[in-house]
Amino acid sequence: MLGENFYGPRAMHEAIRAQACDLVMPDLMRIGGVTGWLQAAAIADTAGLPMASHLYPEVSGHLLRVTPTRHWLEWQDWAHPVLARPFEVRSGELHLPDVPGNGLEWDESAVALPGRKLTIKFTAATPQSRGRETGRDTGCRESESVPD
């Protein structure tokens, strides 16, 4: 598995050409958003490699629906505290809302509380915590609202 640090579809293509992976897992932000994801999905499809998501499940869930070699959705509920209607996971499946757009709607009271701010704590990942061979990436581990 490789990919959360691909910066654009061409970087993913080069890794596939080098036979560096048997599954790709691009990060939506780093791959180039929706356009980059769709390009990466076409590359993975052409190479016959499964493609999974890295973070941003509220948008990645939609994109995996149109990814020919989709594999799994990496899930975290970090956005739940600030969403008006958090997405549901039932029986291990993400249930995307049947609404126009991506379905994200902010909980205005959660994001606009006077005297409060949303704090996201980052910790360095380790091979044990991430189940990977390297611990070089940094991942968000906790989000909470805290008083100033």
Side-chain angles (χ1 to χ4, degrees):
M1 172 174 40
L2 187 65
E4 60 192 59
N5 290 315
F6 291 143
Y7 283 91
R10 288 185 181 161
M12 188 179 97
H13 181 256
E14 290 303 315
I16 292 171
R17 282 187 53 207
Q19 298 180 334
C21 55
D22 56 8
L23 179 144
V24 290
M25 189 176 190
D27 179 282
L28 181 60
M29 179 185 72
R30 292 181 180 134
I31 202 67
V34 172
T35 300
W37 179 282
L38 295 174
Q39 292 170 345
I43 294 166
D45 186 31
T46 301
L49 290 179
M51 186 162 150
S53 68
H54 181 256
L55 303 178
Y56 312 105
E58 296 84 6
V59 178
S60 296
H62 292 283
L63 293 172
L64 281 169
R65 283 183 159 182
V66 297
T67 300
T69 61
R70 67 185 159 272
H71 190 55
W72 75 71
L73 171 73
E74 182 179 51
W75 173 255
Q76 16 1 65
D77 60 3
W78 298 333
H80 280 195
V82 295
L83 294 179
R85 287 184 292 280
F87 290 14
E88 294 181 48
V89 175
R90 295 188 307 267
S91 301
E93 293 182 353
L94 176 65
H95 291 263
L96 297 169
D98 188 16
V99 297
N102 62 20
L104 289 174
E105 183 180 341
W106 302 117
D107 177 347
E108 294 296 331
S109 64
V111 297
L113 287 175
R116 295 177 62 102
K117 63 181 178 181
L118 182 67
T119 302
I120 300 176
K121 298 178 182 179
F122 290 89
T123 59
T126 66
Q128 296 76 27
S129 68
R130 296 293 295 243
R132 297 206 217 321
E133 294 178 8
T134 70
R136 294 183 190 151
D137 60 331
T138 299
C140 180
R141 297 290 176 258
E142 178 181 337
S143 66
E144 61 186 66
S145 290
V146 296
D148 278 337

